[in-house]
Structures are given as structure tokens and as C-alpha cells.
Amino acid sequence: MPSPAKPLAGLKVIELGSLIAGPFAARLCAEFGAEVIKVESPDGGDPLRKWRKLYEGTSLWWFVQARNKKSLTLNLKHPDGLAILRQLLADADILIENFRPGVLEKLGLGWEVLHELNPKLVMVRLSGFGQSGPLKEQPGFGAVGESMGGLRYITGFEDRPPVRTGISIGDSIAALWGVIGALMALRHREVAGGQGQVVDVALYEAVFAMMESLVPEFDVFGFIRERSGNIMPGITPSSIHTCADGRHLQIGANGDAIFRRFMRAIGRIDLADDPTLADNAGRDARRDELYGVIDRWAASLPADQAMALLNRAEVPASRIYSVEDMVADPQFLAREMFLSARLPDGKQFKMPGIVPKLSDTPGSADWVGPALGEHTAELLQALGYSAERIAALRENGAV
């Protein structure tokens, strides 16, 4: 029985830009069936090709971030290169770009021009500060968005400077909002007149949108949430504890019934039955005392033994996983969160699996990130260019 078509099959996505936010958004589209054409400069392409750990000169991150994409090299400073891009955009469904605002306009490819060229086009614009406002022309990476959007201020310990989360989370959050916006715009296009629109995502706003109750707490009570280390402020107990073998556990026992089960499991029936600890407000008032109890219990056992007890008591908990833990974990394996792929020289390697899991039309990783310009000839031929014309375009530096 043939596999069903992926949910985004038939959509044509043009990716402009580089590094993280825009390319991650386009990767999600590619994993679920869209034809994603990544337009790169012939002069080196996306800088991500050379970021972090390299395998024979190419980033391992690149092979994941650009999987299922086609690489087309175009010199957008050359009139012929720009003309090819216009051809591609004339029948595309989505354009994803993460240039600084104004760059496409200088190329003659602002929204008004593109909307006239292709009224059905959905344009996803990812930038540091959005397409309007006094900061719109300022450069802004994910770290800046995380800082201005509130995440960095509340991350870390109260007696130390703010810290980052360990990955470029601001870029990734913005990418997710970009894809959500694109799918909303496509839905609108299908049911309400067939017109495309702009999806304007600012990195700082993408982060800000995740800040839970930060704003109303300040507005109503004048409360400014500060860094609180590993605990969840106002929600107790939920923190990280170190076991006898030096490994760390995240324990979330902040539900009323869960707290009682946890205390009974560790032999503290007095705390389980204490009426002043029956709800979150009471537990939070005695936060330091409770964390001291849990710290001492965790320190008395190796992590595996502590986890076994927590699982029996149905207390939400996990060891703090390194990637080494992940690749051997039965849950990760059962959920197919590692895919086997091959590098250009045939060497096998693991890639992250597909998220989310769709029951009927799942996504997949069909090929790894391509070589620079690997699909240029194929794509130009599809646009009607002859081999001779393609050779001439290469000769004059347009592709």
C-alpha cells in the first residue's frame, strides 16, 4: 500500500536568508512534504555550513537544518539571478526570509511588488524587531530577542548575572511562530478569497509571547519576576536535586495529591498529612524547608534508585539527560527520535527524529542538507532553461 502524501505536499516554499530562524522554519515545512528551495549565494552559501562541529569541512548541524531542501545558488546582485528568483516567486506558496528589514525592498522585492507578482504568496518575515517600530532596521540575533523579550532576565540564579539557555532558543521559537503564522495564512487563503499576506515575526516578540504571567503580575501587583535558579517561583516543590552519585534529578511534585504521594514515598508522612501543606500556597510559604527535606533525601540515594522510587509513587521526575543519555534511552528509541542517515561519503550518523508525530501523514527526513548549489541545474531546467543557458549563467556569475 503506497504511503499517503505528506500534509504539505504540493506547496512550494522559497527560503531566503541564513543561519537559524528562517532555515529552521523552512526545515519544518520540508519535513512535512513541501518543496523547499533554499536560495544561497554562490559565494559560500549559508554560514551555517561552517558552524560548530565540521565533518570534512561541512557542519553536522547543516546536514540536519537543511534536510529535505534543494539548494539553488543565485547571485541576487546580478540582474539574471534576480530574474530567476522572481520566476520562482511567481508561483510559490510561501516565501520565508530573515533578512534585516529593507533588504528585499532594496532588491525590488518588497511586499507590494511580490503581492502584485503573486497574489497568493504568503510572505513569512523573521527579523530581530519586526517590520515596523523605531528599532526595525537594527540587527537582532536570537540572543538579543531572548534578552529584550524577557527570557534572559529570569534565567539563572538571583545572586549571579543572567545566563543563556544553552541553545539558540529565541531563533527556534521565532521559527515555530513563523510556521504557525504561515499555516494560518494558508488556511485563510483557502477559505477566504485566495489572497496571501505577510506573517511578521519579531524575535523579541516571539520570546515575549512565552513569558506566561509576567505582564499581568507586574501590572496588577507591581511584581517583577526575578531569577530563581532551579525552582519554579510560586509553584512548590519543583526543582533540581543532586543524588548520591552526583547525577541530578528534576522533580515536579507541585500537585496536591502528587505532593502527598511523594512525601509518603520518602517516609515523611508527617509532611504528607500536614494540613498547612495541603495546597500550593501553604507549600510555597515553607519552600526552603521542603527543598531542604528533598535535597537530603536525594543526596542519600543514587539517581537510578531515587528514580525507581519516584516512578512507583507516580511523581513526575526525570534525570537531567545529556545527549549520551538520550541516545540509549528506551523512550527516545520507542518514539523513533533518532533517524539513521548517511553523510556524503556514506558514513552513517544519527539525526534528530521528526516532531510532531502525525498518525496518518507523518513527516520524514528523506535526504540530508545538500551541497552548495546541488539542485541548481535541476531547478533551472524545470523553469525552462536549456543546458547552454545554464552554462552561460554560471559563466557570467548569475548562479
Side-chain angles (χ1 to χ4, degrees), residues 233-251:
I235 302 172
T236 303
S238 181
S239 188
I240 294 174
H241 306 273
T242 303
C243 293
D245 55 5
R247 292 192 288 177
H248 311 291
L249 301 184
Q250 169 67 50
I251 303 173

Side-chain angles (χ1 to χ4, degrees), residues 11 13-15 26 29-30 34-38 68-70:
L11 291 178
V13 178
I14 308 301
E15 178 195 318
C29 296
E35 180 188 24
V36 175
I37 299 171
K38 180 174 179 64
N68 291 10
K69 299 179 186 179
K70 297 178 179 179

Side-chain angles (χ1 to χ4, degrees), residues 376-387 390:
T376 297
E378 169 194 325
L379 292 166
L380 292 179
Q381 287 168 1
L383 291 174
Y385 288 75
S386 67
I390 294 171

Side-chain angles (χ1 to χ4, degrees), residues 6-15 21-37 64-70 93-96 122 124 126 175-183 186 354-356 358 361-367:
K6 294 180 185 177
L8 301 185
L11 291 178
K12 183 176 180 179
V13 178
I14 308 301
E15 178 195 318
F24 184 40
R27 166 188 152 186
L28 298 175
C29 296
E31 289 171 349
F32 287 90
E35 180 188 24
V36 175
I37 299 171
V64 176
Q65 186 82 315
R67 63 189 183 188
N68 291 10
K69 299 179 186 179
K70 297 178 179 179
D93 295 285
I94 303 172
L95 166 62
I96 298 175
V122 172
V124 178
L126 297 137
L176 294 174
W177 285 123
V179 173
I180 292 168
L183 296 178
L186 288 176
I354 304 296
V355 178
L358 299 189
T361 56
S364 65
D366 302 317
W367 65 85

Side-chain angles (χ1 to χ4, degrees), residues 9-192:
L11 291 178
K12 183 176 180 179
V13 178
I14 308 301
E15 178 195 318
L16 298 175
S18 59
L19 299 177
I20 303 175
F24 184 40
R27 166 188 152 186
L28 298 175
C29 296
E31 289 171 349
F32 287 90
E35 180 188 24
V36 175
I37 299 171
K38 180 174 179 64
V39 176
E40 300 184 79
S41 167
D43 184 20
D46 191 329
L48 191 72
R49 290 176 174 274
K50 300 295 182 182
W51 273 26
R52 299 192 66 83
K53 298 292 185 182
L54 306 185
Y55 182 81
E56 296 190 349
T58 300
S59 166
L60 289 169
W61 189 0
W62 166 260
F63 291 121
V64 176
Q65 186 82 315
R67 63 189 183 188
N68 291 10
K69 299 179 186 179
K70 297 178 179 179
S71 174
L72 168 67
T73 51
L74 293 179
N75 179 359
L76 298 184
K77 296 178 181 178
H78 193 290
D80 290 341
L82 205 55
I84 293 168
L85 178 58
R86 289 177 65 93
Q87 280 183 269
L88 289 169
L89 292 171
D91 68 347
D93 295 285
I94 303 172
L95 166 62
I96 298 175
E97 65 96 2
N98 64 337
F99 293 125
R100 196 187 304 187
V103 169
L104 284 183
E105 283 74 10
K106 290 177 182 176
L107 292 172
L109 294 175
W111 170 244
E112 292 76 12
V113 173
L114 293 179
H115 189 58
E116 183 176 354
L117 175 69
N118 178 1
K120 292 189 175 183
L121 181 69
V122 172
M123 187 180 192
V124 178
R125 312 199 75 172
L126 297 137
S127 62
F129 304 101
Q131 302 298 313
S132 60
L135 295 180
K136 68 177 184 180
E137 294 182 0
Q138 292 295 315
F141 289 146
V144 175
E146 294 163 30
S147 300
M148 187 172 173
L151 180 61
R152 294 285 179 102
Y153 187 87
I154 62 172
T155 304
F157 288 85
E158 58 187 358
D159 59 343
R160 283 170 255 175
V163 298
R164 69 188 297 268
T165 59
I167 58 170
S168 302
I169 192 72
D171 290 291
S172 299
I173 291 172
L176 294 174
W177 285 123
V179 173
I180 292 168
L183 296 178
M184 290 177 179
L186 288 176
R187 172 63 176 164
H188 173 76
R189 192 184 78 176
E190 291 170 359
V191 302

Side-chain angles (χ1 to χ4, degrees), residues 339-362:
L339 304 178
S340 180
R342 291 190 182 275
L343 294 164
D345 66 356
K347 178 181 174 63
Q348 263 194 326
F349 77 114
K350 287 183 174 67
M351 291 196 299
I354 304 296
V355 178
K357 309 292 186 188
L358 299 189
S359 61
D360 292 340
T361 56

